[in-house]
Amino acid sequence: MVTTVHHAPQRLGNILIEKGILTLERLQQALEMQKQSGGTKLLGEILVEKEFCSEDQVIECLALVYALPYAKLEPRLADPKVVDVLPREYIEKNMVFPLFRIRGVLTVAMCEPTNLFLLDEMSRATNLQVQVVAASPKDIRRMITTLPDSKTFVIDDIIDNNSQAEVTLIETAIDDIGDATEIAGQSPVIRLVNYVIYNAVKEGASDIHIEPAERCMRVRYRIDGRLYKSLEVPVNLLNAVTSRIKIMASLDISERRLPQDGRVHVMLDGRKVDLRISTFPGNRGEKTVIRVLDTRSVSLNLRDLGFAEDVLEPLQTGIRAPNGIILVTGPTGSGKSTTLYAALNEIASMENNICTVEDPIEYHLSLINQFQVQERVGLTFSKALRTLLRQDPDVIMVGEVRDEETARTAIQAALTGHLVLSTLHTNDSPSAITRLINIGVESYLISAALNVVLAQRLVRRVCPKCRTAYELPRPLRKTLERMGHGMDVFYKGAGCKRCRNTGYSGRVGVHELLQIDDRLRDAIVANASVSEMRRIGLENGMVTLRKDGFRKVKEGLTTVEEIIQITGESAIAERAERTGSVVEDVISTT
């Protein structure tokens, strides 16, 4: 039995206009486009495609049209026991998500609530009455990523959130591999490992460091780019804890002489969290680092990543270009992969064949074909990229340009009509061009293929709960004024429980975008220096890392100290604070 979809007296366009989301002119334009398509495209699809409205706005108003409830989906809304009523392949194919079942009524989230055939099909497949809730495709895709697989460990089942007594472990000497394996399967060790993972996710850590010290096993979390000590336990338990983590990641527990890498999924609060495991033998024993990939803590929306409008607009123009290369540069941990994922998420559609080559795959995205590099069997970046070109791609993402062969293949793909996105390790945007030349790529090929270079850093965000205004030391204030960054008010975090008394909570991106125009293409072919290309970029209106950073200081998002650190001006700032002197010529080009 299917819940009836009621017709409402108002149309979608009228409701969007009444809510102030859409203008009459844009509605008429969209209706004309729908007419030209012969009715093959829905009005909502056209409105989203032309960026007149967002997916959320269209679905919410569509729910009003058909008198249906609209839901902003979160993992806590779904009952994990109900997900299995429909096969995962069916859920992914039809973009539906079963939420919960009450007295024989199954509530299902759908982005196309008017699809009566699909409703009837689900009712017959589950032998339940189906009730519809309207939800955006983006929310449904995010919920699909929470679905567990056969290698998922449910941490909630074996961790006591309110008790830390389980962390007090027996001090038993562990020397033999057999002993370590046996103890790794015992409850105290399992509870310790799960407590460490649970607490890391709860604290918002990006990495967990489990390392042997002289008299203890130390656990540290990397939160907002900084390491903090979490706990210390007897060093005797190092082998058992390491073995437990290896068992979870299907690694060889008998191998302690060589580094190993693996991956594991865990369930926390009803959602799936991916963990990347890396072990490395040291002089005191094996050190384990766990990278936490929590999709809930990362927004894959470009507007949520801290982009200013004068950086976001040219970047969005670049990712919608039919061909060319877009490079995102910066040091390790600067958020390059997240930016690329957000860019791909923005252009993902049924009309595009988007393929990625990654090492490793950090986040799984719908409508995108993702491939893992396997260097042990000879599947390198360059070989995978060459193979992908025979898969009829429209857009290709290469995790990183590491060598000349990968760079040449990427440029060849861009020159033959593909849009290529990748990352590079350089300090700023103009240096990316020099880096490609140093790798061995001819300058005329770079000039022809490169469209956009985005350099970025992550800085800590001022805690919104304890944010307070303060007086900057006068010499440093004068220095900022001479640099063109005069401000009336400066903010910092006073320190509270939410931010662990650091004054910072979360991170925000600082960006520098270089658009490659004809002048720059000529400069690249002429082998111009980095400073010359930077000068041309500045004349074309390029926003530097420093300028974008101090703009975020002015908005109260971060602090002067954070920007000084990422722009390498700490020595100048220290001198200004100490003596009041300024070396303007040193920083005039940044």
Side-chain angles (χ1 to χ4, degrees):
M1 181 179 177
V2 180
T3 299
T4 306
V5 177
H6 302 285
H7 247 321
Q10 288 182 297
R11 293 178 176 274
L12 174 62
N14 295 338
I15 294 178
L16 287 167
I17 290 174
E18 285 178 9
K19 285 181 168 289
I21 298 171
L22 189 66
T23 63
L24 180 60
E25 291 76 19
R26 286 190 165 185
L27 174 60
Q28 290 172 343
Q29 186 180 343
L31 289 171
E32 182 63 30
M33 291 178 183
Q34 187 183 30
K35 185 178 179 181
Q36 291 173 1
S37 72
T40 58
K41 282 193 173 184
L42 298 172
L43 176 61
E45 290 178 337
I46 295 172
L47 292 173
V48 173
E49 186 180 296
K50 299 302 293 182
E51 296 185 355
F52 292 164
C53 306
S54 68
E55 280 185 344
D56 289 332
Q57 291 169 332
V58 169
I59 296 297
E60 186 174 1
C61 291
L62 200 61
L64 289 174
V65 170
Y66 293 101
L68 291 171
Y70 168 78
K72 191 71 177 170
L73 299 184
E74 295 180 12
R76 61 182 179 81
L77 295 177
D79 184 351
K81 297 175 184 176
V82 175
V83 172
D84 293 336
V85 298
L86 293 171
R88 176 169 183 150
E89 295 76 15
Y90 185 90
I91 291 172
E92 292 178 339
K93 179 182 177 182
N94 295 290
M95 288 298 290
V96 298
F97 198 89
L99 296 173
F100 46 84
R101 178 176 58 194
I102 300 175
R103 297 189 184 91
V105 178
L106 177 67
T107 300
V108 179
M110 296 177 61
C111 57
E112 293 184 24
T114 59
N115 192 335
L116 297 177
F117 296 105
L118 187 57
L119 286 170
D120 186 57
E121 190 175 82
M122 286 190 292
S123 181
R124 284 186 279 106
T126 61
N127 199 28
L128 296 168
Q129 180 181 343
V130 177
Q131 178 174 287
V132 182
V133 169
S136 71
K138 179 180 66 177
D139 281 357
I140 293 176
R141 282 193 292 268
R142 189 173 68 249
M143 292 294 288
I144 290 173
T145 65
T146 69
L147 293 174
D149 56 29
S150 58
K151 291 187 177 180
T152 299
F153 292 82
V154 184
I155 286 185
D156 293 339
D157 293 344
I158 48 180
I159 190 73
D160 181 1
N161 302 349
N162 301 317
S163 173
Q164 295 191 18
E166 301 293 351
V167 183
T168 305
L169 302 169
I170 54 172
E171 295 195 30
T172 306
I174 304 171
D175 299 316
D176 183 68
I177 290 176
D179 294 339
T181 306
E182 182 180 350
I183 295 179
Q186 293 178 359
S187 180
V189 173
I190 291 176
R191 287 188 178 276
L192 171 61
V193 172
N194 284 275
Y195 171 80
V196 167
I197 296 171
Y198 174 86
N199 206 42
V201 175
K202 181 182 174 184
E203 292 284 335
S206 61
D207 299 270
I208 306 168
H209 291 243
I210 301 172
E211 51 201 9
E214 188 173 349
R215 297 181 180 178
C216 66
M217 184 191 80
R218 184 188 303 115
V219 178
R220 294 191 290 171
Y221 295 153
R222 186 175 295 279
I223 303 172
D224 297 338
R226 303 290 195 277
L227 279 171
Y228 299 93
K229 187 177 78 172
S230 174
L231 70 149
E232 293 179 347
V233 297
V235 70
N236 312 67
L237 292 163
L238 174 67
N239 290 340
V241 169
T242 304
S243 294
R244 170 59 186 167
I245 295 170
K246 287 182 178 180
I247 289 169
M248 293 173 69
S250 301
L251 301 179
D252 183 0
I253 62 172
S254 64
E255 180 56 76
R256 297 182 181 176
R257 300 167 299 171
L258 296 173
Q260 295 188 68
D261 296 300
R263 189 165 190 157
V264 67
H265 309 299
V266 299
M267 287 296 293
L268 278 171
D269 296 330
R271 72 181 190 278
K272 187 171 74 173
V273 177
D274 289 348
L275 306 175
R276 272 169 37 197
I277 313 295
S278 174
T279 65
F280 201 101
N283 61 332
R284 294 194 181 108
E286 288 182 280
K287 174 176 177 175
T288 302
V289 175
I290 303 174
R291 170 64 59 87
V292 181
L293 302 173
D294 184 4
T295 54
R296 191 185 71 167
S297 65
V298 176
S299 172
L300 297 182
N301 185 316
L302 285 175
R303 289 193 175 274
D304 295 337
L305 298 181
F307 284 95
E309 283 299 324
D310 53 0
V311 177
L312 180 61
E313 287 183 11
L315 178 60
Q316 288 178 321
T317 300
I319 63 177
R320 285 179 169 80
N323 52 61
I325 292 182
I326 296 175
L327 288 177
V328 182
T329 77
T332 302
S334 59
K336 300 186 297 296
S337 296
T338 302
T339 297
L340 287 182
Y341 278 125
L344 293 180
N345 203 37
E346 185 151 315
I347 59 175
S349 69
M350 292 299 293
E351 288 76 27
N352 278 338
N353 178 19
I354 302 177
C355 301
T356 73
V357 183
E358 304 172 61
D359 184 24
I361 297 172
E362 294 192 7
Y363 299 104
H364 297 274
L365 304 175
S366 299
L367 296 178
I368 294 176
N369 304 294
Q370 297 173 270
F371 302 96
Q372 169 75 49
V373 168
Q374 301 284 353
E375 294 198 359
R376 283 180 292 182
V377 295
L379 186 62
T380 61
F381 271 113
S382 55
K383 187 173 182 179
L385 186 52
R386 287 197 304 273
T387 306
L388 269 187
L389 292 175
R390 297 191 287 271
Q391 292 279 317
D392 186 32
D394 297 301
V395 181
I396 300 172
M397 186 191 96
V398 185
E400 183 183 345
V401 175
R402 295 181 178 176
D403 51 42
E404 180 184 351
E405 189 177 5
T406 305
R408 285 184 177 277
T409 309
I411 286 177
Q412 188 64 37
L415 293 175
T416 52
H418 304 88
L419 180 65
V420 181
L421 292 81
S422 190
T423 69
L424 205 60
H425 286 91
T426 63
N427 291 327
D428 57 17
S429 297
S431 299
I433 299 166
T434 307
R435 172 67 177 147
L436 289 174
I437 294 173
N438 291 340
I439 286 176
V441 183
E442 289 82 356
S443 56
Y444 70 90
L445 290 176
I446 300 170
S447 171
L450 194 61
N451 287 351
V452 172
V453 183
L454 174 74
Q456 71 175 55
R457 301 287 190 277
L458 291 177
V459 294
R460 291 184 293 175
R461 189 189 290 264
V462 174
C463 178
K465 191 172 182 180
C466 61
R467 191 180 81 156
T468 182
Y470 77 107
E471 189 72 23
L472 198 68
R474 189 172 181 275
L476 188 53
R477 177 189 285 270
K478 290 295 183 183
T479 300
L480 295 181
E481 288 174 356
R482 297 194 189 189
M483 291 163 61
H485 303 297
M487 303 174 207
D488 297 327
V489 185
F490 293 87
Y491 294 95
K492 68 176 181 179
C496 62
K497 186 177 180 181
R498 173 178 172 175
C499 62
R500 301 170 304 282
N501 292 315
T502 62
Y504 297 98
S505 179
R507 290 192 286 179
V508 64
V510 176
H511 308 95
E512 174 181 282
L513 188 134
L514 179 67
Q515 288 182 282
I516 311 300
D517 63 354
D518 290 340
R519 283 183 66 197
L520 267 171
R521 295 188 195 281
D522 292 341
I524 293 169
V525 172
N527 291 319
S529 64
V530 174
S531 59
E532 176 63 17
M533 287 187 285
R534 171 169 282 275
R535 185 186 63 78
I536 295 173
L538 289 171
E539 290 176 359
N540 291 342
M542 178 181 75
V543 177
T544 64
L545 284 170
R546 178 165 63 85
K547 183 177 179 180
D548 190 47
F550 281 113
R551 182 162 54 188
K552 288 179 170 62
V553 171
K554 191 171 185 178
E555 294 169 2
L557 295 175
T558 189
T559 62
V560 173
E561 292 78 9
E562 286 289 299
I563 303 305
I564 285 174
Q565 183 176 2
I566 67 158
T567 55
E569 295 163 3
S570 56
I572 297 171
E574 288 171 8
R575 180 178 174 186
E577 191 168 353
R578 186 172 61 251
T579 66
S581 61
V582 182
V583 189
E584 293 182 12
D585 56 338
V586 177
I587 56 177
S588 60
T589 59
T590 61

